[in-house]
Amino acid sequence: MTENAIQKPPADYQPQAEDFKGRVILVTGASGGLGSAASHALARLGAQVILLGRSVPKLEKLYDAIEAGGGAQPAIVPMNLMTATWAAYDELAQTIEKEFGKLDGIVHAAAHFKSFTRLEDLEPRDWMDSLQVNLTAPFTLTRLCLPMLRESKDASVVFVTDDGGRVPKPFQAAYGVTKAAGETLFRSWAMELEAESREGSHLRFNTWHPGPMGTEIRGKGFASDASTLVNPPERVIPQLLWLLGPASRGVTAKAL
């Protein structure tokens, strides 16, 4: 990926409630640092957020916090992306259509990362788990929800990536490989859909690198970040909202 291909959302973007009120957005990894911040922000703007995560207590805590903050009532979907069956993915898509009648966006924020390691030391099980959570799950959810996304007047799918997905690096192991594959998956998919997007569907797929953030998953690899000035997830949320909202219509197949 060339440097010229990487763009950034406008630094001065200010989301407007009318742009998100009534939208239905699925957020995977919703109880994580970025997923939680995104869910709070979307709900405050009036979007109905579908909170997907594997920990019911964490999802319930997030649900309560969103309601206490005056956000639109979210929905909880407990699902372990590492062990979910194909039937479970299909059932989720059917449930979204039945309960909400539409889907206007997906934020693929869930990620599996254990530690930096050499590929020759990587356990095959960890390789498979990384592929399942970081690549197969985003593909499957998007594939099964594609009919609903197509019907939306302004749908956006955002795949959250990382340094390892943009430039090959040592010791990134399966995490870096899956993030790089996700970049190719969603940008290629967007290219396949560009024709219908130009015809007015406004359906767009982009990948987004929010930069270093003070999250639990980053702490697994960079424990010293706890004492440095790493961005809190809330600081980068306006960029994500720009990608999810109507301000980014026509922007697709980009690495942002």
Side-chain angles (χ1 to χ4, degrees):
M1 182 180 301
T2 65
E3 188 67 27
N4 290 335
I6 299 175
Q7 304 176 9
K8 287 295 179 184
D12 59 349
Y13 173 69
Q14 296 295 325
Q16 303 299 314
E18 58 266 24
D19 292 338
F20 293 91
K21 188 174 183 179
R23 290 194 180 215
V24 178
I25 309 290
L26 172 64
V27 179
T28 73
S31 59
L34 180 63
S36 176
S39 299
H40 273 286
L42 286 163
R44 283 195 299 268
L45 290 165
Q48 290 186 290
V49 187
I50 302 170
L51 310 172
L52 188 152
R54 63 181 179 179
S55 170
V56 173
K58 287 183 178 180
L59 290 174
E60 291 177 339
K61 182 178 179 180
L62 176 59
Y63 180 101
D64 291 342
I66 287 174
E67 285 213 312
Q73 185 180 43
I76 289 178
V77 178
M79 177 179 282
N80 187 338
L81 298 178
M82 193 180 296
T83 58
T85 64
W86 305 121
Y89 286 116
D90 191 50
E91 183 180 353
L92 172 58
Q94 292 183 42
T95 299
I96 293 173
E97 185 167 22
K98 179 181 178 181
E99 297 296 325
F100 297 95
K102 65 173 185 172
L103 186 64
D104 302 299
I106 304 177
V107 179
H108 290 295
H112 175 70
F113 170 78
K114 292 179 69 174
S115 64
F116 292 119
T117 186
R118 300 188 303 174
L119 283 166
E120 66 181 88
D121 295 327
L122 182 70
E123 292 293 334
R125 172 62 185 269
D126 190 41
W127 172 267
M128 295 300 296
D129 288 346
S130 298
L131 285 173
Q132 184 66 25
V133 176
N134 300 343
L135 188 61
T136 301
F139 164 78
T140 306
L141 284 171
T142 305
R143 166 64 181 81
L144 293 175
C145 291
L146 191 58
M148 286 184 287
L149 293 166
R150 273 197 169 109
E151 290 178 4
S152 171
K153 295 179 180 179
D154 185 45
S156 175
V157 176
V158 180
F159 177 79
V160 181
T161 188
D162 208 333
D163 283 342
R166 296 277 163 93
V167 180
K169 292 187 174 185
F171 311 113
Q172 295 281 331
Y175 179 77
V177 171
T178 53
K179 286 298 182 181
E183 290 271 5
T184 298
L185 168 64
F186 281 97
R187 294 181 70 201
S188 298
W189 207 339
M191 293 173 186
E192 293 177 5
L193 297 172
E194 275 186 313
E196 65 185 69
S197 180
R198 287 194 299 270
E199 293 171 2
S201 74
H202 300 299
L203 174 59
R204 53 201 184 276
F205 290 9
N206 292 288
T207 65
W208 175 57
H209 178 10
M213 296 177 295
T215 61
E216 180 181 347
I217 193 169
R218 183 172 176 82
K220 293 179 180 180
F222 298 95
S224 62
D225 277 358
S227 61
T228 62
L229 298 177
V230 177
N231 278 336
E234 291 77 10
R235 189 169 296 177
V236 300
I237 291 303
Q239 298 178 24
L240 177 59
L241 294 175
W242 180 82
L243 280 168
L244 289 170
S248 63
R249 282 179 182 168
V251 178
T252 191
K254 304 296 184 184
L256 298 118

